[in-house]
Amino acid sequence: MIQVQEQDFQVQELYQDLLEKNVTGAVAMFVGLVRHFSDQPVEACSFELEHYPGMTEHNLESIVNEAKERWPLLDVTVVHRVGQLSINDQIVFVGVSAAHRAEAFAACDFIMDYLKSRAAFWKKETQGDKSQWVSAVEKDELSLKRWS
């Protein structure tokens, strides 16, 4: 399942869905939160995430399909939020089920690395009265190299 949505998600429900679809040996999950990105007080910071509907889902499908080609996965769930978010809000869920933990961990890590660099999302951070669109981070690009 791949979803891009404004509303929050329930981790327990997404986990339960992964269990119900398959007899599995392992589930690896990652939940990303909006972090405090400046020295401003939390109340002075905001975060907006935009996407290009259709293109974003296509990017996510490609990433998941590549993970499925690399590892014998039973199921994958990716939920990514968009819109106005606050510090500590859940922003992304990646869950992977596989027969063995090594494949589940590796695929979950791979999907997150590629999602950070290749999915069509744009982040805007506001600190006090200043706003800026966030550029790609070099360390995210370097993380991709280990999968080559």
Side-chain angles (χ1 to χ4, degrees):
M1 171 179 65
I2 294 171
Q3 286 184 224
V4 177
Q5 61 192 42
E6 287 191 23
Q7 68 271 23
D8 199 5
F9 51 84
Q10 297 299 316
V11 173
Q12 183 61 36
E13 289 175 15
L14 296 170
Y15 171 67
Q16 205 59 45
D17 286 346
L18 285 166
L19 293 179
E20 290 175 5
K21 291 181 183 172
N22 297 291
V23 175
T24 187
V27 173
M29 298 182 300
F30 173 83
V31 178
L33 307 174
V34 176
R35 63 177 157 49
H36 190 198
F37 46 82
S38 80
D39 56 0
Q40 298 282 327
V42 170
E43 310 80 51
C45 299
S46 68
F47 181 90
E48 184 179 349
L49 195 67
E50 291 187 6
H51 77 299
Y52 187 162
M55 184 169 138
T56 304
E57 291 84 354
H58 178 73
N59 291 151
L60 294 173
E61 285 175 24
S62 295
I63 293 165
V64 168
N65 288 338
E66 186 169 344
K68 288 178 177 179
E69 289 174 14
R70 289 173 177 247
W71 296 280
L73 306 178
L74 300 171
D75 201 9
V76 176
T77 297
V78 176
V79 178
H80 207 297
R81 293 181 65 196
V82 294
Q84 205 61 38
L85 299 167
S86 299
I87 306 300
N88 291 329
D89 280 353
Q90 296 180 135
I91 190 170
V92 63
F93 174 92
V94 174
V96 177
S97 66
H100 303 283
R101 66 181 162 85
E103 290 88 1
F105 276 127
C108 191
D109 198 20
F110 171 89
I111 291 167
M112 275 309 306
D113 279 348
Y114 272 79
L115 189 151
K116 291 269 299 176
S117 299
R118 299 293 185 257
F121 292 105
W122 295 273
K123 290 192 266 186
K124 182 179 182 182
E125 294 177 350
T126 302
Q127 302 172 29
D129 60 352
K130 294 182 182 177
S131 292
Q132 70 176 17
W133 292 99
V134 179
S135 302
V137 180
E138 185 178 342
K139 71 177 184 173
D140 292 336
E141 289 296 322
L142 291 173
S143 292
L144 294 180
K145 290 185 179 187
R146 67 190 170 123
W147 302 110
S148 298

